[in-house]
Amino acid sequence: QSALTQPASVSGSPGQSITISCTGTSNDVGGYNYVSWYQHHPGKAPKLMIYDVSNRPSGVSNRFSGSKSGNTASLTISGLQTEDEADYYCTSYTNDYYVFGTGTKVTVL
Amino acid sequence: QVQLQESGPGLVKPSGTLSLTCAVSGGSISSTNWWSWVRQPPGKGLEWIGEIFHRGSPNYNPSLKSRVTMSMDKSKNHFSLKVTSVTAADTAFYYCARAGGYYGSAFGYWGQGILVTVSS
């Protein structure tokens, strides 16, 4: 199983919207609605931001939203804030196996 | 509130065995949840190592399967990870995490992580 493909970096100014893509195959992202997204500051515990493609845990800002089309899932952050600067990872669960994305560093300009 | 806490040696010699434990509080390890280990080598991305349920066999990442063993101790409410024949490539932050419950297959709860360095 290969890692899901994410852009290495995405940046935006405060207040803007950005979208992070997560591309897999029909065997993972495209075949199941088990895509989740995590915000991670290295050395700290990752935080669940989106589960099952588009569901947001309680306590997560509604500025974060998820979607999927074919073999590509996406995380959109609207109204970008300085606190959103972090690494973001997608993951897909399939056939008793998890595969993570390559990770995207979000920079707030 | 479920809490997870990793513990174990921070330094392991090459060719040795890495052994970590994840203590679970605020919930039973025998509940209908899956318990995983995830690691992040310095400067690299997250990698899933494996998961264990209180019934049945663990599931492992195929790339690590030959060197990884996961187990659980229900009396102590913790689960463990062993990685044999370690090399410098196994140097990483190791996290334990819980999937299941309201968040389905997603990891809704994580430990703070523990840095394990493989070096002589």
Side-chain angles (χ1 to χ4, degrees):
Chain A
Q1 291 272 4
S2 299
L4 307 177
T5 301
Q6 298 180 230
S9 62
V10 174
S11 61
S13 299
Q16 286 186 329
S17 292
I18 61 169
T19 296
I20 303 168
S21 60
C22 169
T23 301
T25 70
S26 59
N27 292 322
D28 38 60
V29 174
Y32 305 87
N33 289 324
Y34 296 141
V35 176
S36 51
W37 289 89
Y38 302 86
Q39 179 188 66
H40 187 217
H41 294 94
K44 298 194 179 297
K47 177 183 178 182
L48 177 64
M49 306 303 285
I50 295 288
Y51 66 98
D52 292 348
V53 175
S54 59
N55 294 304
R56 198 171 46 248
S58 61
V60 172
S61 171
N62 60 9
R63 298 184 298 103
F64 291 85
S65 62
S67 63
K68 190 183 82 167
S69 177
N71 296 336
T72 298
S74 299
L75 174 71
T76 297
I77 309 174
S78 57
L80 198 61
Q81 299 181 1
T82 55
E83 67 210 49
D84 300 331
E85 191 162 285
D87 297 326
Y88 291 83
Y89 292 89
C90 62
T91 189
S92 176
Y93 180 67
T94 174
N95 293 330
D96 299 330
Y97 179 92
Y98 287 89
V99 58
F100 276 94
T102 50
T104 298
K105 182 175 182 61
V106 169
T107 301
V108 182
L109 302 172
Chain B
Q1 175 76 340
V2 175
Q3 292 186 316
L4 292 77
Q5 179 67 59
E6 305 88 349
S7 63
L11 181 65
V12 182
K13 293 188 186 310
S15 77
T17 297
L18 180 159
S19 297
L20 296 175
T21 295
C22 180
V24 179
S25 59
S28 172
I29 200 169
S30 297
S31 60
T32 55
N33 295 296
W34 285 86
W35 308 91
S36 274
W37 288 96
V38 176
R39 70 181 184 178
Q40 182 181 38
K44 297 188 178 181
L46 298 173
E47 178 182 38
W48 179 73
I49 300 171
E51 65 180 356
I52 190 167
F53 191 61
H54 68 92
R55 293 195 303 263
S57 301
N59 296 313
Y60 300 129
N61 186 326
S63 68
L64 297 168
K65 189 172 184 176
S66 63
R67 299 192 295 125
V68 169
T69 302
M70 292 180 63
S71 61
M72 53 171 44
D73 187 330
K74 298 174 187 178
S75 67
K76 295 181 179 179
N77 214 43
H78 73 209
F79 63 104
S80 300
L81 170 72
K82 289 188 186 297
V83 182
T84 60
S85 304
V86 296
T87 68
D90 294 306
T91 294
F93 274 96
Y94 285 77
Y95 298 94
C96 55
R98 192 197 89 171
Y102 194 75
Y103 303 129
S105 64
F107 300 119
Y109 298 92
W110 294 76
Q112 286 299 306
I114 184 170
L115 176 62
V116 179
T117 301
V118 178
S119 175
S120 56

